[in-house]
Amino acid sequence: MSFSKIKRRDFLKIMGWGGVGATLVGCDLPTTVTLEEGKEKVVSYLMPEEYVIPGVGVWYASTCQQCPSGCGIHGRVREGRVLKLEGNPASSVNKGRLCQMGQASLQAHYNPDRIAKPKIRRGSSLVDATWEEAYGLIAEKTANISGSKFAWMTGSVSGHQSVLLQAYLESIGSGNHFVHETINNAVWAKVCQDMLGDSNPRIRLDKAQSMLSFGADFLGTWGSPLHFSTEYAKFRTSPRGTLIQVEPNMTLTGANADLWVASRPGSEGALALGIANQLVSKQGLSMSGLPNSVQSLIRSYTLDETVTATGVDADRIADIAATLKRRSPSVVLAGASAQGHEHGYQCVAAAMVLNVILGNIGKTIESNGEFAYASMAPVSGNTHSLVSFSQAAADKRFDVVFFSGVNPVYTAPKSLGLKESLANIPFKVVFSHFNDETTAMADVVLPLASTEEDWGTHVAPYQAGVGEISIQQPLMEPLSTETRGFGDIVLTLLKKRKETAYEGFADYYAYLRNAFSTIPAEHKNGASDEQFWTDVLAAGLIDVGVKKTSLKVKGVEFDMPKEMGNSSAMILAPSARLGFWDGRHANLPWLQEAPDQISKVVWDSWAELHPSTAKKIGVKEGDMVKIASASGEINVKVYIYKGVHPDVIAVPLGQGHDAGFSRYAKDRGVNSLSILDPKVDKMTGELALYSTNVKVTKAAKTDDVLVRFGGSETQVGRKLVSTIPADVYERTEGGDHVA
Amino acid sequence: MSVLQHLPLGRFIEAASRGSRQTKQTVQVSFIVMLLMAAMALFSAKVNAEVPNAVPPEGSYSGIHVEQPIEFPHDTHADINEINCMYCHTYARRSKVAGIPPTSKCMGCHSVIATDKPRIQKLTEYWENKQPPLWNKVHDVPDFVHFTHEKHIKRFVIDNEDLEVENVSEVCAFCHGEVKKMTVADKVKPLTMGFCQRCHQANDGPSDCWHCHK
Ligand code: SF4
């Protein structure tokens, strides 16, 4: 019975009841939302497991795949559906925490825009096909291909997926594996490799008393965000560590700092050298371990010189040096905004020099050991691969290319010309969950099972002294019968290439199961094979240990271009957020809806501008600006904010997708990567993300408003946080306690 | 933080209705029949007793008759053969949902009992095809109502010392009517908020909004 069917007479009767129980009258109306009898199905179990009770969740361990950090998760499963994810407390990576991207993984799984069927290009459009057709076409195109003509571009990859992927490349005789991640620590890794002999040293935030971070957003996007959040909590407790953050625009980490210093992008290296100079000349530390050329470089960065090169106050520079010395041991880190320059390597190297002078190596920067099984070890992505792939595609070097876990057509700046050069590749196969900018260019699209439906093993790229293999297991049956797990697809492709070694495995599960049977007995704790497997699945991981290594400080020579700090052009900062990440999560409504950590903007892009710059340009919050580089232009609404260097306009990554990428991301904001100049760090070849000069002008206003959650930057007199000037405090109440 | 309600066994989730990688042990028919006998002995029913320490909710409703894939006779089971409601709806005291009994439970008896009846043959066919019947839901509350059987059974049955457990059907009847006189169940109680509220008032149930609307 629905509301509309209540007759007038009934209605009057109901009204007539009046007085008695009047408050409950409404509650007796059959509600319009009550489901009618017989409209839904109830399905019983055929034969339930003894531990399954309908209505009561069972938790299974698996691994998050929303970013390369590889956190362990627990998924709550009820009546065959996964309902909620949490962090796996046993995982050393995240210790039970789960970030918002991890939470939103469910929305990727249940997303209505997931690709449900393989697709094959017929003329200008992609049409549904069967797996046999897709496999057949791939087999045909790769039948006689020479190894050098084949390439595979992936995101960061590890575990048995990496083993199978390498096996496939070998079966074709190709060494062309391009591993691409826009958000990476590639320059840091190279500097660590060169100066410490270990590309992935262990950072002991818990042991440090102070921290100087050049744009390392370790609470957001640097390294392993959840791991470092926990370590940071230790750093902040008894005694409370001091965090100094230097960056062009404030990140989540910067917002937590005791001292936040705005840097003009590219001047980070000069600032580091200036601080080094102070440590040596004023704080009595020695730089004797460094090469002579670096010593004289440090000597040249006198206080005056550093002020000129960086625009940072002399007092502040001296103060930072004094704090680092006083609050020892310290640790100095460098991240995206420090490495994103043509001299990015030097900037990061200068930061690492500070660690050497401060004596942090061996104290707060330790060796992390090496993962014991090389073939499963994590291969971390970079942007160098994107640049070289774009070049290779332009040079028509490939006939067949596979793409998985990447969306290079979105992440590549237009100036690399990747989209155009893809036309030179006759056959492109894209493994994907969703239609996106890259699947649009594909000849074959292979729909992947979601994280919650697939098997896998993962080795987190950053682990604190342990060698855990984290298990990914299905939390429920696939939603579509026509999607396939990544491992299953590669295994089938290997079989189609008549690789006999794989013929015995019915599916990827069988392959993994066998792999775990062959793990050396020392890891099995005396358990039977079956028990061991069950234990590993229940725990979600197994620690197979690491080979001990040690750090060896090596003198690395580098120079520092002088004029970097003081050019007056504006610079575009395509800053990254734990949210959309490199844009891959813009299709998840929870993340669109979650206000940005800094600007509180929802469902949109924005450009952060310093109030003084905004005044110069003549814009106020919500106005449109045109940001033009040599490589293109974008129009975006302005958010005025003091946490950005006056020479910088910051447009966070993630939006500006083509219409194909889901109903939630379409027609929303801009992609700041698209207008970057094709500059690279000269030492590593990494894209110089923070070095594109732009011209910012006021653009015609649109009706669109900038939608922000919350609103004001002031306390509007509400005394949420009471403050008192230091001299008044000293005079009136706390004089005795001030040092 | 998650509270692990169950230690994850870690295996591939093996709910048989979703297919399984594991081989199923065969149902130990004789064992289950024995269990059933024991259960029947334990739960031999007394008819038409009042529920002590409780005021039954008032109100009635005349729902449409919902056809089911198998016309399951509640009367044969609960009335004539005096099987306790909680024998089949075993989840009611453990979970928010009472649960339709798993097909394996039906087959526990009906591999040997009444195998010549057409309804049982239909059931056997479902069982052999490894497909549970798709029952049509009769009693439903809106998604924003958090109703839990477990709490109600605890209040009226488990914590109700004066109630003989044989008479649990009288408690079920509060919201489901005299199901043991029906074949397939019909909705005969309104299950509206007013219906719930009056019962909560009469029986000192909680009246905070969030108890039901979480
Ligand atoms: S940090 Fe990465 S791996 Fe960890 S929970 Fe977040 S998205 Fe998942």
Side-chain angles (χ1 to χ4, degrees):
Chain A
M1 182 175 179
S2 74
F3 203 77
S4 59
K5 285 193 197 142
I6 294 179
K7 293 198 195 79
R8 185 173 162 273
R9 187 183 295 261
D10 291 339
F11 182 68
L12 291 178
K13 230 193 280 175
I14 292 166
M15 296 313 287
W17 288 350
V20 266
T23 54
L24 290 178
V25 166
C27 311
D28 276 312
L29 295 177
T31 75
T32 48
V33 286
T34 303
L35 296 163
E36 292 153 310
E37 304 106 87
K39 288 286 150 69
E40 283 192 348
K41 301 283 180 212
V42 229
V43 192
S44 69
Y45 284 92
L46 192 69
M47 186 153 86
E49 288 297 335
E50 56 204 82
Y51 58 87
V52 167
I53 298 179
V56 176
V58 181
W59 295 80
Y60 290 85
S62 190
T63 306
C64 181
Q65 289 300 292
Q66 294 283 87
C67 88
S69 304
C71 296
I73 55 175
H74 277 160
R76 178 173 179 238
V77 179
R78 226 193 78 186
E79 276 91 281
R81 290 280 179 274
V82 52
L83 299 182
K84 180 75 168 72
L85 303 180
E86 297 289 358
N88 179 353
S91 165
S92 75
V93 179
N94 55 322
K95 300 196 176 81
R97 273 79 171 173
L98 195 72
C99 80
Q100 56 168 341
M101 300 191 296
Q103 294 285 0
S105 168
L106 286 181
Q107 283 202 319
H109 168 65
Y110 289 115
N111 202 299
D113 293 328
R114 272 181 64 187
I115 311 174
K117 275 199 162 94
K119 290 181 199 306
I120 291 180
R121 180 165 299 282
R122 305 249 186 261
S124 64
S125 56
L126 285 161
V127 296
D128 287 352
T130 66
W131 277 94
E132 273 323 303
E133 287 169 321
Y135 282 138
L137 194 56
I138 293 170
E140 180 195 318
K141 299 282 184 185
T142 52
N144 300 311
I145 195 167
S146 95
S148 63
K149 287 283 185 185
F150 177 85
W152 196 334
M153 180 181 258
T154 70
S156 294
V157 60
S158 68
H160 289 93
Q161 297 79 254
S162 187
V163 175
L164 285 187
L165 194 146
Q166 289 307 332
Y168 188 76
L169 282 166
E170 266 163 41
S171 83
I172 290 193
S174 166
N176 299 322
H177 182 198
F178 294 86
V179 191
H180 166 50
E181 294 284 347
T182 301
I183 298 175
N184 66 53
N185 272 349
V187 179
W188 167 263
K190 180 77 170 70
V191 168
C192 290
Q193 181 63 49
D194 292 353
M195 291 179 72
L196 310 175
D198 183 343
S199 64
N200 188 17
R202 183 167 175 191
I203 312 298
R204 300 300 302 258
L205 299 190
D206 55 332
K207 286 188 177 172
Q209 300 293 318
S210 60
M211 194 179 345
L212 172 60
S213 157
F214 292 94
D217 180 17
F218 54 84
L219 299 178
T221 55
W222 189 87
S224 185
L226 288 180
H227 180 78
F228 285 118
S229 302
T230 329
E231 296 296 291
Y232 174 71
K234 295 183 200 158
F235 167 80
R236 281 298 215 189
T237 40
S238 54
R240 184 181 191 277
T242 305
L243 169 62
I244 303 166
Q245 184 87 1
V246 179
E247 56 196 5
N249 64 301
M250 197 178 274
T251 59
L252 185 58
T253 310
N256 280 278
D258 298 289
L259 174 64
W260 186 79
V261 180
S263 61
R264 189 180 151 81
S267 71
E268 290 85 355
L271 184 59
L273 292 173
I275 295 168
N277 181 300
Q278 289 294 301
L279 285 171
V280 174
S281 63
K282 296 277 157 32
Q283 304 292 332
L285 291 182
S286 156
M287 57 177 172
S288 57
L290 298 168
N292 288 336
S293 66
V294 176
Q295 293 195 17
S296 52
L297 187 62
I298 291 174
R299 261 182 236 109
S300 74
Y301 275 89
T302 59
L303 204 48
D304 287 348
E305 188 65 36
T306 313
V307 171
T308 323
T310 63
V312 179
D313 288 349
D315 288 353
R316 189 129 281 179
I317 297 167
D319 203 37
I320 294 174
T323 306
L324 291 174
K325 162 81 188 309
R326 190 173 69 245
R327 301 189 59 94
S328 174
S330 58
V331 63
V332 183
L333 306 176
S337 56
Q339 74 177 26
H341 316 289
E342 286 176 298
H343 62 299
Y345 181 91
Q346 289 96 312
C347 289
V348 178
M352 192 55 77
V353 158
L354 284 173
N355 281 316
V356 176
I357 295 177
L358 286 158
N360 296 338
I361 313 296
K363 283 192 194 144
T364 53
I365 299 186
E366 296 174 353
S367 168
N368 222 349
E370 203 179 301
F371 188 72
Y373 300 89
S375 60
M376 289 174 68
V379 188
S380 290
N382 52 46
T383 51
H384 168 60
S385 56
L386 183 67
V387 177
S388 50
F389 179 82
S390 303
Q391 192 54 53
D395 297 346
K396 306 197 167 123
R397 274 182 38 208
F398 304 130
D399 286 345
V400 177
V401 179
F402 288 4
F403 299 90
S404 59
V406 281
N407 182 6
V409 178
Y410 175 83
T411 52
K414 290 219 161 58
S415 56
L416 292 182
L418 177 65
K419 193 171 176 186
E420 295 70 30
S421 341
L422 282 185
N424 298 336
I425 302 170
F427 189 65
K428 298 171 285 287
V429 179
V430 182
F431 300 55
S432 186
H433 299 102
F434 300 101
N435 290 319
D436 59 23
E437 289 80 354
T438 304
T439 59
M441 313 285 296
D443 297 290
V444 173
V445 179
L446 303 178
L448 286 173
S450 76
T451 304
E452 286 78 1
E453 297 165 344
D454 202 3
W455 283 100
T457 54
H458 303 275
V459 180
Y462 184 90
Q463 302 196 38
V466 294
E468 288 171 0
I469 302 172
S470 192
I471 304 292
Q472 180 191 352
Q473 66 173 325
L475 300 174
M476 61 180 281
E477 288 285 298
L479 290 164
S480 155
T481 51
E482 291 291 308
T483 54
R484 297 283 183 274
F486 178 79
D488 281 312
I489 299 176
V490 186
L491 197 65
T492 310
L493 290 172
L494 277 162
K495 287 185 196 165
K496 301 251 173 207
R497 291 196 65 78
K498 310 261 180 301
E499 293 291 330
T500 48
Y502 301 92
E503 260 153 28
F505 304 116
D507 53 17
Y508 188 48
Y509 169 80
Y511 174 81
L512 281 186
R513 182 69 192 80
N514 175 68
F516 276 80
S517 289
T518 59
I519 277 187
E522 72 206 67
H523 298 308
K524 293 191 177 170
N525 262 337
S528 72
D529 183 48
E530 196 52 39
Q531 188 58 45
F532 167 69
W533 174 240
T534 308
D535 290 349
V536 170
L537 291 186
L541 51 91
I542 174 177
D543 184 0
V544 293
V546 285
K547 282 191 263 172
K548 286 257 172 301
T549 50
S550 56
L551 299 184
K552 288 174 214 70
V553 179
K554 285 181 261 181
V556 169
E557 306 208 3
F558 61 92
D559 58 359
M560 190 63 67
K562 284 266 156 145
E563 75 284 9
M564 292 312 295
N566 43 22
S567 145
S568 62
M570 288 203 65
I571 298 172
L572 175 64
S575 52
R577 289 287 202 277
L578 192 141
F580 297 147
W581 203 247
D582 56 5
R584 67 183 70 172
H585 299 318
N587 61 340
L588 307 182
W590 282 348
L591 298 178
Q592 287 278 3
E593 187 80 23
D596 179 69
Q597 298 107 343
I598 298 293
S599 69
K600 315 291 186 294
V601 171
V602 293
W603 292 97
D604 206 350
S605 281
W606 68 96
E608 289 162 17
L609 263 189
H610 191 269
S612 65
T613 317
K615 203 165 161 202
K616 251 188 258 164
I617 300 169
V619 288
K620 32 181 218 319
E621 182 175 311
D623 284 354
M624 272 285 184
V625 286
K626 181 169 98 179
I627 308 174
S629 73
S631 315
E633 60 180 56
I634 48 180
N635 286 287
V636 61
K637 280 163 263 176
V638 166
Y639 167 61
I640 294 170
Y641 184 55
K642 285 184 196 142
V644 56
H645 191 280
D647 293 348
V648 169
I649 183 159
V651 184
L653 299 186
Q655 307 271 26
H657 284 274
D658 286 357
F661 187 54
S662 109
R663 66 193 74 184
Y664 306 111
K666 88 174 199 242
D667 301 332
R668 223 168 265 297
V670 296
N671 175 8
S672 48
L673 291 170
S674 67
I675 62 164
L676 294 183
D677 291 342
K679 294 182 192 166
V680 295
D681 170 33
K682 297 213 169 93
M683 293 288 291
T684 62
E686 282 296 293
L687 264 181
L689 295 175
Y690 283 73
S691 66
T692 298
N693 286 337
V694 290
K695 209 166 146 30
V696 182
T697 47
K698 188 170 177 172
K701 200 164 163 55
T702 64
D703 295 339
D704 237 12
V705 287
L706 183 67
V707 182
R708 289 180 57 221
F709 196 81
S712 100
E713 245 96 73
T714 79
Q715 301 179 41
V716 205
R718 287 171 295 177
K719 291 214 167 149
L720 300 175
V721 181
S722 299
T723 54
I724 177 172
D727 57 330
V728 180
Y729 176 76
E730 265 177 69
R731 193 154 38 75
T732 56
E733 14 208 333
D736 295 348
H737 306 296
V738 172
Chain B
M1 254 322 302
S2 60
V3 178
L4 294 190
Q5 286 157 320
H6 270 253
L7 261 192
L9 284 196
R11 296 222 183 87
F12 184 83
I13 310 151
E14 291 175 5
S17 62
R18 294 179 291 106
S20 167
R21 291 174 191 273
Q22 308 276 321
T23 42
K24 294 284 159 207
Q25 73 260 51
T26 43
V27 187
Q28 300 278 320
V29 172
S30 53
F31 174 67
I32 290 189
V33 171
M34 248 169 59
L35 262 185
L36 175 69
M37 299 301 186
M40 282 173 161
L42 252 178
F43 293 154
S44 72
K46 283 189 209 159
V47 191
N48 281 338
E50 292 274 299
V51 178
N53 309 322
V55 184
E58 281 160 30
S60 63
Y61 178 84
S62 174
I64 51 169
H65 182 70
V66 178
E67 297 289 336
Q68 301 291 356
I70 296 175
E71 199 202 5
F72 175 85
H74 277 95
D75 48 1
T76 309
H77 291 81
D79 195 20
I80 299 171
N81 286 303
E82 299 182 358
I83 301 173
N84 191 289
C85 306
M86 294 199 300
Y87 177 72
C88 295
H89 296 289
T90 171
Y91 305 120
R93 61 189 183 276
R94 305 193 169 103
S95 171
K96 57 188 291 187
V97 297
I100 304 285
T103 318
S104 58
K105 185 158 232 162
C106 309
M107 291 309 291
C109 294
H110 287 297
S111 334
V112 288
I113 299 175
T115 48
D116 54 335
K117 301 267 168 61
R119 286 191 297 228
I120 302 305
Q121 281 160 358
K122 196 166 176 197
L123 171 75
T124 311
E125 206 177 301
Y126 277 109
W127 171 248
E128 279 165 0
N129 292 336
K130 297 206 180 317
Q131 277 299 326
L134 292 183
W135 302 101
N136 293 311
K137 198 168 184 177
V138 174
H139 295 95
D140 197 9
V141 287
D143 289 349
F144 53 75
V145 178
H146 177 86
F147 174 84
T148 153
H149 279 88
E150 186 186 1
K151 289 264 161 59
H152 289 85
I153 299 283
K154 185 170 173 344
R155 160 67 179 82
F156 290 115
V157 181
I158 298 184
D159 292 349
N160 192 355
E161 282 169 13
D162 301 333
L163 181 92
E164 307 277 338
V165 74
E166 295 80 13
N167 294 333
V168 71
S169 65
E170 300 302 320
V171 175
C172 305
F174 284 5
C175 304
H176 295 289
E178 266 206 286
V179 178
K180 67 181 176 197
K181 298 287 179 205
M182 308 174 191
T183 55
V184 297
D186 284 332
K187 184 175 165 186
V188 296
K189 299 286 176 177
L191 306 189
T192 55
M193 182 167 145
F195 176 78
C196 299
Q197 273 270 26
R198 277 191 294 276
C199 188
H200 275 228
Q201 278 172 359
N203 292 293
D204 288 335
S207 56
D208 291 334
C209 309
W210 65 266
H211 269 101
C212 308
H213 304 296
K214 300 190 187 239

